[in-house]
PDB file of all heavy atoms in Angstrom:
ATOM      1  N   MET A 684     178.524 -52.977-118.661  1.00 68.00           N
ATOM      2  CA  MET A 684     179.248 -53.094-117.410  1.00 68.00           C
ATOM      3  C   MET A 684     179.047 -54.467-116.811  1.00 68.00           C
ATOM      4  O   MET A 684     179.951 -55.042-116.242  1.00 68.00           O
ATOM      5  CB  MET A 684     178.771 -52.027-116.429  1.00 68.00           C
ATOM      6  CG  MET A 684     179.392 -50.691-116.715  1.00 68.00           C
ATOM      7  SD  MET A 684     179.014 -49.538-115.401  1.00 68.00           S
ATOM      8  CE  MET A 684     180.628 -49.238-114.766  1.00 68.00           C
ATOM      9  N   ALA A 685     177.830 -54.984-116.984  1.00 67.00           N
ATOM     10  CA  ALA A 685     177.550 -56.293-116.418  1.00 67.00           C
ATOM     11  C   ALA A 685     178.395 -57.369-117.081  1.00 67.00           C
ATOM     12  O   ALA A 685     178.866 -58.278-116.436  1.00 67.00           O
ATOM     13  CB  ALA A 685     176.076 -56.608-116.572  1.00 67.00           C
ATOM     14  N   GLU A 686     178.599 -57.236-118.372  1.00 67.00           N
ATOM     15  CA  GLU A 686     179.329 -58.297-119.076  1.00 67.00           C
ATOM     16  C   GLU A 686     180.808 -58.068-119.169  1.00 67.00           C
ATOM     17  O   GLU A 686     181.570 -58.971-119.360  1.00 67.00           O
ATOM     18  CB  GLU A 686     178.883 -58.358-120.532  1.00 67.00           C
ATOM     19  CG  GLU A 686     177.557 -58.942-120.765  1.00 67.00           C
ATOM     20  CD  GLU A 686     177.282 -58.930-122.271  1.00 67.00           C
ATOM     21  OE1 GLU A 686     178.238 -58.763-123.059  1.00 67.00           O
ATOM     22  OE2 GLU A 686     176.112 -59.077-122.611  1.00 67.00           O
ATOM     23  N   SER A 687     181.205 -56.830-119.125  1.00 66.00           N
ATOM     24  CA  SER A 687     182.538 -56.524-119.628  1.00 66.00           C
ATOM     25  C   SER A 687     183.668 -56.968-118.720  1.00 66.00           C
ATOM     26  O   SER A 687     183.516 -57.168-117.531  1.00 66.00           O
ATOM     27  CB  SER A 687     182.666 -55.035-119.864  1.00 66.00           C
ATOM     28  OG  SER A 687     182.937 -54.406-118.642  1.00 66.00           O
ATOM     29  N   THR A 688     184.797 -57.073-119.351  1.00 68.00           N
ATOM     30  CA  THR A 688     185.986 -57.450-118.607  1.00 68.00           C
ATOM     31  C   THR A 688     186.523 -56.269-117.812  1.00 68.00           C
ATOM     32  O   THR A 688     187.336 -56.435-116.912  1.00 68.00           O
ATOM     33  CB  THR A 688     187.091 -57.927-119.562  1.00 68.00           C
ATOM     34  OG1 THR A 688     187.172 -56.994-120.635  1.00 68.00           O
ATOM     35  CG2 THR A 688     186.788 -59.293-120.100  1.00 68.00           C
ATOM     36  N   MET A 689     186.042 -55.066-118.122  1.00 69.00           N
ATOM     37  CA  MET A 689     186.496 -53.900-117.377  1.00 69.00           C
ATOM     38  C   MET A 689     186.131 -54.043-115.914  1.00 69.00           C
ATOM     39  O   MET A 689     186.913 -53.794-115.008  1.00 69.00           O
ATOM     40  CB  MET A 689     185.809 -52.630-117.910  1.00 69.00           C
ATOM     41  CG  MET A 689     186.194 -52.266-119.306  1.00 69.00           C
ATOM     42  SD  MET A 689     187.852 -51.574-119.375  1.00 69.00           S
ATOM     43  CE  MET A 689     187.900 -51.010-121.043  1.00 69.00           C
ATOM     44  N   LEU A 690     184.885 -54.478-115.698  1.00 79.00           N
ATOM     45  CA  LEU A 690     184.434 -54.636-114.327  1.00 79.00           C
ATOM     46  C   LEU A 690     185.225 -55.720-113.618  1.00 79.00           C
ATOM     47  O   LEU A 690     185.546 -55.600-112.440  1.00 79.00           O
ATOM     48  CB  LEU A 690     182.943 -55.012-114.289  1.00 79.00           C
ATOM     49  CG  LEU A 690     181.967 -53.859-114.139  1.00 79.00           C
ATOM     50  CD1 LEU A 690     180.580 -54.388-113.893  1.00 79.00           C
ATOM     51  CD2 LEU A 690     182.386 -52.949-113.007  1.00 79.00           C
ATOM     52  N   LYS A 691     185.541 -56.770-114.351  1.00 82.00           N
ATOM     53  CA  LYS A 691     186.309 -57.849-113.733  1.00 82.00           C
ATOM     54  C   LYS A 691     187.680 -57.368-113.322  1.00 82.00           C
ATOM     55  O   LYS A 691     188.210 -57.753-112.280  1.00 82.00           O
ATOM     56  CB  LYS A 691     186.447 -59.031-114.703  1.00 82.00           C
ATOM     57  CG  LYS A 691     185.179 -59.811-114.828  1.00 82.00           C
ATOM     58  CD  LYS A 691     185.429 -61.162-115.469  1.00 82.00           C
ATOM     59  CE  LYS A 691     184.118 -61.923-115.540  1.00 82.00           C
ATOM     60  NZ  LYS A 691     184.255 -63.205-116.197  1.00 82.00           N
ATOM     61  N   ARG A 692     188.250 -56.506-114.179  1.00 78.00           N
ATOM     62  CA  ARG A 692     189.555 -55.964-113.842  1.00 78.00           C
ATOM     63  C   ARG A 692     189.478 -55.095-112.609  1.00 78.00           C
ATOM     64  O   ARG A 692     190.327 -55.152-111.719  1.00 78.00           O
ATOM     65  CB  ARG A 692     190.111 -55.171-115.024  1.00 78.00           C
ATOM     66  CG  ARG A 692     191.463 -55.665-115.467  1.00 78.00           C
ATOM     67  CD  ARG A 692     192.086 -54.785-116.506  1.00 78.00           C
ATOM     68  NE  ARG A 692     191.450 -54.851-117.789  1.00 78.00           N
ATOM     69  CZ  ARG A 692     191.649 -53.989-118.773  1.00 78.00           C
ATOM     70  NH1 ARG A 692     192.470 -52.994-118.609  1.00 78.00           N
ATOM     71  NH2 ARG A 692     191.037 -54.107-119.915  1.00 78.00           N
ATOM     72  N   SER A 693     188.426 -54.270-112.534  1.00 83.00           N
ATOM     73  CA  SER A 693     188.239 -53.437-111.349  1.00 83.00           C
ATOM     74  C   SER A 693     188.056 -54.308-110.130  1.00 83.00           C
ATOM     75  O   SER A 693     188.601 -54.029-109.071  1.00 83.00           O
ATOM     76  CB  SER A 693     187.002 -52.549-111.502  1.00 83.00           C
ATOM     77  OG  SER A 693     187.241 -51.502-112.371  1.00 83.00           O
ATOM     78  N   PHE A 694     187.254 -55.380-110.289  1.00 89.00           N
ATOM     79  CA  PHE A 694     186.997 -56.255-109.152  1.00 89.00           C
ATOM     80  C   PHE A 694     188.290 -56.894-108.668  1.00 89.00           C
ATOM     81  O   PHE A 694     188.514 -57.046-107.465  1.00 89.00           O
ATOM     82  CB  PHE A 694     185.981 -57.350-109.516  1.00 89.00           C
ATOM     83  CG  PHE A 694     185.718 -58.296-108.383  1.00 89.00           C
ATOM     84  CD1 PHE A 694     184.910 -57.901-107.330  1.00 89.00           C
ATOM     85  CD2 PHE A 694     186.291 -59.555-108.342  1.00 89.00           C
ATOM     86  CE1 PHE A 694     184.674 -58.759-106.260  1.00 89.00           C
ATOM     87  CE2 PHE A 694     186.060 -60.414-107.281  1.00 89.00           C
ATOM     88  CZ  PHE A 694     185.256 -60.014-106.238  1.00 89.00           C
TER      89      PHE A 694
END
Side-chain angles (χ1 to χ4, degrees):
Chain A
M684 280 189 116
E686 286 180 16
S687 81
T688 46
M689 294 286 189
L690 266 189
K691 285 196 179 177
R692 236 187 289 166
S693 285
F694 178 76

